[in-house]
Amino acid sequence: MRRRFTLLVMLMMVFVSLPAAVRSRQESSATLRLGFVGYLFSGPEYDFGSVSGAQLAVDQINRAGGVAAPDGARYTLELVIQSATNPVEARAAMQQLFESGIVALLGPEDVDQMLAGSDLAAGYGIPHLTSTESPALTVSADGYLFRARASDAVRARALADYLVNQVGYGHIATASTNNTAGSAGVAAFESVLAAMALEPVVSTRHDPADFDMSADAQAIARNAPEVVVHWGNAYQAAFLLQQLRDLGWQGRFVYSDVDALFLSLLSPGEADGVLGVLSWSYMLPEPATRTFLADYVQAFDRKPTIRSAAYYDAVQLIAGAVRAAGPDPGAIHAALLNRPPYEGVQGALDPGGEMSANAVIVAVDGTTLVPRAEARYQDALCVAGCRNTPLLALLPTAAPTPADTVVPTETPEPTETPTPTIPTATPVPSDTPTGTATPTETPSATPTPTETPTWTPTVTLAAPEPTDAPSPTETPTVTETETGTPDEGPPPVKSSTPVVPPEQAATLTAQPTATEPPPPTPTRTPGPVYVQTGDVRMNLRSGPNDALYPVVHVLPSDSTLRVIGRNADNTWLFVEYTLAEQTDNPQTAQAWIAGWLVTPVEGEIELLPILAPWGATPTPGPTPAGVPIVALLYSFDSEEAMDMVALLLKLEEEYGDRGRFVYINVKKIEDYPLYNRIYEGTVPALGLIDHNNLLRQVFKGTLSEANLRARLDDLLGLPSD
């Protein structure tokens, strides 16, 4: 009897505990974990956009209710991040994540790190999506590896077509860094040239540790090419361009990855006209890009990178695979291979391993240091910006409304000063308070901090002529009877209007005769200019730079503002806004707003006065406020200076997440007033500038590595050994 009673108790214990165990398994399965391997630094200004892009997609999907599988189960997503700085660490991180229960893996983007673990995904049966562009990574049509942005092979075909068939260059030189990425990239470009029956007039290779480009520059200049194409290290590309200009070469320079680092090494004059070939650009006018740009800026208070778009698309594709096939990694893999084409932020993304065949030719505006989109390629065909396919093909057929420009998944609310952080293993919830802004809401005044930098010009406004309420201006319409170039103004959005076929373009484009005199230029009188925000609340800043100047006010959605000034390229507008609605005496103030996030509704922005330079920042490239700066002045003629460049580049890899490292050719010092105080007639010269912008120390000549480390530790507030 006692034995039967004991058995009954045991069965009851099992029965009672079973629902809890089942419930525990259900709770754990309600969250799908996505692994991410990449660089993780201490602040958002050192996240190259990879993690942020993936996290934005995760947050948007979760806020919308998660992902519903075919069986009705609903899942939220979680990003689990492992940092890796070399191939050995990368492989170990991949193995750890594969064994932790993830359903898909993202990253890394570094080709050597990716190659170190490219064999793992198939063994674990888990799909692996990367933004690695190098053709050194082989991606098959039916494997477990997926490339989430266009490869260098795709970019090489687009660049070769643009240079040879569109512009007409035939005298081309190539240069590259002699590493995995540089060698594979330039080889892809040269193979496309060979298919065009062309070969480089000269081809140079640089050791990754060599930053003296004088011999390469002389070899290239002697052959007088029309264009030089560089693939590889940003420092070497910038130094090569500078030395070519010093030798008097005036041809066109192309750097495969025109990014912020490359541009930060050049003066505006040096950067002007430099071409690049990218897999995506935030300057593109398509609606998906405009919406993503607005959402990303709202979330992280900075512009997205190419990696941001690639990993945002990658997470959306994984979520789509779960919706179609369920949460099992094998089912996700099969769905990614067999899904229909998907229109992502980057453009059309195909099923299979090579997802993207999109490329963008950009040209740097020397006034603004902004890479402007020149031409758009899909599957090696120019679809906009080339002969017979003008950029007008990307314009809408009707005037866009603010809703066309910014369509958020949820109306986010701002904080006083948005301070994004690098996401951790748990998805970061929105850090904004709850509530919904209405179009008529007028936020209360926010005092401008007196201790923060400002760029606020003095503007006296004449009383505007009485006008009706601002109404949208007409936008050029693409028809079958005319083509042209878009008017100046905000980037337009894409429509379904077909591109004009090449055989029709000659008859569809009106051309003036050779003897026809140009029409007289009418004198235009400036009038009131108004812009409107979209369906998100937007920040106003004390100056025209989102890295240097703080937020002074937050606008409600659908605000209409009078514009009273601009910077040189209209990327920032100086506007008047209402602080508080009062019946008798409404109060107004003035601040800066990002020009690419608003829609003009009345007047001509180009007629307004320019009240700030290209970025209102004296430093080369964006400098995060409150970050110590290590500035080195060098000259290619000084062997000691180039030794210091090599040493500082080495230490930057170790210290780069705590301060900003700046390298300035002393011949261009006049372009950078902030660093004039460092130069005393000799190079190398090293200046240490603290977070309060105070010049702490200046060192002339070379420093030993131990001495330089001690100085950096002191500047950055690190404990000494």
Side-chain angles (χ1 to χ4, degrees):
M1 180 71 180
R2 180 175 298 177
R3 180 182 302 174
R4 292 173 60 188
F5 176 78
T6 302
L7 180 61
L8 179 62
V9 170
M10 293 177 64
L11 289 173
M12 290 178 64
M13 292 177 62
V14 171
F15 179 78
V16 170
S17 63
L18 181 60
V22 172
R23 184 166 56 252
S24 175
R25 286 197 300 271
Q26 289 175 341
E27 289 174 351
S28 64
S29 66
T31 298
L32 301 181
R33 307 174 80 212
L34 309 180
F36 195 107
V37 177
Y39 297 108
L40 263 187
F41 297 111
S42 63
E45 62 268 25
Y46 301 105
D47 164 29
F48 299 125
S50 307
V51 177
S52 301
Q55 190 66 55
L56 178 62
V58 167
D59 290 344
Q60 289 182 344
I61 291 168
N62 289 342
R63 284 199 300 266
V67 183
D71 62 359
R74 188 169 290 274
Y75 301 89
T76 58
L77 303 181
E78 178 183 355
L79 200 61
V80 184
I81 305 166
Q82 288 282 357
S83 181
T85 60
N86 59 60
V88 174
E89 291 180 0
R91 183 176 178 87
M94 291 182 211
Q95 287 179 311
Q96 183 176 348
L97 287 170
F98 277 133
E99 294 171 0
S100 69
I102 62 173
V103 298
L105 181 64
L106 305 170
E109 55 257 12
D110 179 83
V111 61
D112 292 313
Q113 292 187 24
M114 188 62 216
L115 288 172
S118 61
D119 61 314
L120 296 175
Y124 286 99
I126 297 175
H128 186 171
L129 290 76
T130 178
S131 70
T132 298
E133 295 175 300
S134 175
L137 176 71
T138 302
V139 176
S140 65
D142 57 355
Y144 280 83
L145 294 181
F146 299 84
R147 200 190 312 267
R149 62 169 166 164
S151 71
D152 282 350
V154 171
R155 296 196 298 150
R157 291 196 298 271
L159 179 61
D161 177 80
Y162 185 80
L163 294 178
V164 178
N165 295 330
Q166 308 303 327
V167 183
Y169 291 128
H171 213 53
I172 302 173
T174 59
S176 65
T177 305
N178 193 17
N179 59 13
T180 304
S183 298
V186 80
F189 178 71
E190 290 176 348
S191 69
V192 179
L193 289 183
M196 296 177 167
L198 293 173
E199 63 179 24
V201 295
V202 61
S203 184
T204 67
R205 303 288 185 268
H206 339 295
D207 185 90
D210 184 8
F211 297 97
D212 181 0
M213 301 289 103
S214 57
D216 300 77
Q218 290 170 4
I220 292 171
R222 281 196 300 268
N223 287 272
E226 298 170 295
V227 60
V228 174
V229 176
H230 189 282
W231 227 284
N233 184 283
Y235 292 98
Q236 291 180 331
F239 294 164
L240 177 61
L241 172 57
Q242 289 170 338
Q243 292 208 336
L244 285 169
R245 295 299 188 226
D246 289 345
L247 293 173
W249 179 74
Q250 297 299 316
R252 199 74 180 265
F253 193 85
V254 179
Y255 177 49
S256 58
D257 300 292
V258 174
D259 54 15
L261 174 59
F262 171 74
L263 294 174
S264 72
L265 300 168
L266 303 174
S267 69
E270 291 169 337
D272 189 32
V274 170
L275 292 175
V277 56
L278 311 176
S279 55
W280 174 80
S281 170
Y282 71 85
M283 296 296 291
L284 287 170
E286 288 97 331
T289 289
R290 297 299 302 279
T291 300
F292 173 69
L293 173 63
D295 291 347
Y296 191 95
V297 171
Q298 184 73 23
F300 301 104
D301 204 28
R302 63 187 187 275
K303 293 184 285 291
T305 68
I306 297 171
R307 296 181 180 95
S308 308
Y311 286 112
Y312 180 91
D313 281 341
V315 172
Q316 296 288 359
L317 285 169
I318 294 169
V322 174
R323 293 187 190 99
D328 179 74
I332 294 173
H333 170 251
L336 289 174
L337 290 176
N338 300 298
R339 62 176 175 82
Y342 170 77
E343 283 294 329
V345 171
Q346 302 171 89
L349 300 176
D350 300 322
E354 295 287 359
M355 292 181 164
S356 175
N358 302 291
V360 185
I361 305 297
V362 297
V364 178
D365 183 336
T367 305
T368 64
L369 290 184
V370 172
R372 302 283 188 185
E374 293 287 308
R376 189 78 151 98
Y377 279 79
Q378 293 176 357
D379 296 317
L381 298 176
C382 187
V383 296
C386 298
R387 293 179 179 178
N388 304 323
T389 53
L391 281 176
L392 184 63
L394 295 180
L395 283 172
T397 57
T401 64
D404 295 325
T405 308
V406 181
V407 186
T409 57
E410 177 178 287
T411 303
E413 297 290 330
T415 58
E416 288 294 323
T417 303
T419 307
T421 57
I422 288 295
T424 59
T426 302
V428 179
S430 173
D431 59 357
T432 57
T434 59
T436 303
T438 61
T440 58
E441 175 188 336
T442 303
S444 59
T446 303
T448 303
T450 56
E451 69 278 5
T452 52
T454 61
W455 186 280
T456 306
T458 301
V459 177
T460 302
L461 284 178
E465 295 294 330
T467 61
D468 296 331
S471 58
T473 56
E474 292 186 1
T475 302
T477 302
V478 180
T479 68
E480 295 183 358
T481 58
E482 60 178 7
T483 62
T485 57
D487 295 334
E488 293 294 322
V493 295
K494 186 178 181 180
S495 73
S496 59
T497 304
V499 175
V500 180
E503 63 272 13
Q504 300 178 14
T507 61
L508 300 184
T509 304
Q511 299 289 341
T513 61
T515 59
E516 183 179 349
T521 302
T523 302
R524 294 183 292 175
T525 303
V529 178
Y530 291 91
V531 295
Q532 190 172 38
T533 64
D535 292 342
V536 294
R537 307 187 74 184
M538 292 182 60
N539 294 326
L540 295 177
R541 294 182 175 274
S542 62
N545 188 300
D546 54 4
L548 290 180
Y549 300 100
V551 175
V552 297
H553 191 71
V554 178
L555 292 169
S557 60
D558 297 312
S559 295
T560 299
L561 306 166
R562 186 180 180 188
V563 186
I564 54 182
R566 59 191 176 100
N567 70 345
D569 72 330
N570 305 336
T571 53
W572 289 89
L573 304 176
F574 194 54
V575 298
E576 185 178 68
Y577 63 98
T578 303
L579 285 170
E581 290 286 354
Q582 297 179 0
T583 304
D584 299 328
N585 185 27
Q587 300 179 8
T588 60
Q590 299 167 353
W592 292 88
I593 192 169
W596 67 88
L597 293 179
V598 296
T599 302
V601 293
E602 181 177 334
E604 296 183 68
I605 291 176
E606 291 295 333
L607 298 183
L608 294 173
I610 296 176
L611 303 177
W614 52 271
T617 168
T619 61
T623 302
V627 176
I629 300 173
V630 181
L632 177 65
L633 307 186
Y634 68 89
S635 169
F636 293 115
D637 301 329
S638 169
E639 185 174 342
E640 288 184 341
M642 298 312 295
D643 289 341
M644 280 292 292
V645 169
L647 175 58
L648 200 59
L649 286 171
K650 171 186 175 182
L651 296 182
E652 183 181 354
E653 296 182 1
E654 179 178 340
Y655 290 88
D657 60 334
R658 298 179 180 272
R660 183 160 189 265
F661 289 72
V662 178
Y663 306 83
I664 302 168
N665 186 341
V666 72
K667 293 183 179 180
K668 309 297 181 182
I669 188 63
E670 67 276 3
D671 292 327
Y672 307 116
L674 180 64
Y675 305 114
N676 275 331
R677 49 188 168 163
I678 299 173
Y679 185 50
E680 298 181 5
T682 61
V683 292
L686 183 72
L688 304 181
I689 302 172
D690 67 17
H691 64 281
N692 291 318
N693 200 28
L694 298 176
L695 181 60
R696 292 265 297 271
Q697 292 175 301
V698 175
F699 300 97
K700 301 176 185 177
T702 58
L703 295 175
S704 67
E705 181 173 343
N707 191 358
L708 185 52
R709 284 182 179 276
R711 305 297 180 184
L712 293 178
D713 289 344
D714 179 63
L715 173 70
L716 303 175
L718 302 176
S720 302
D721 295 334

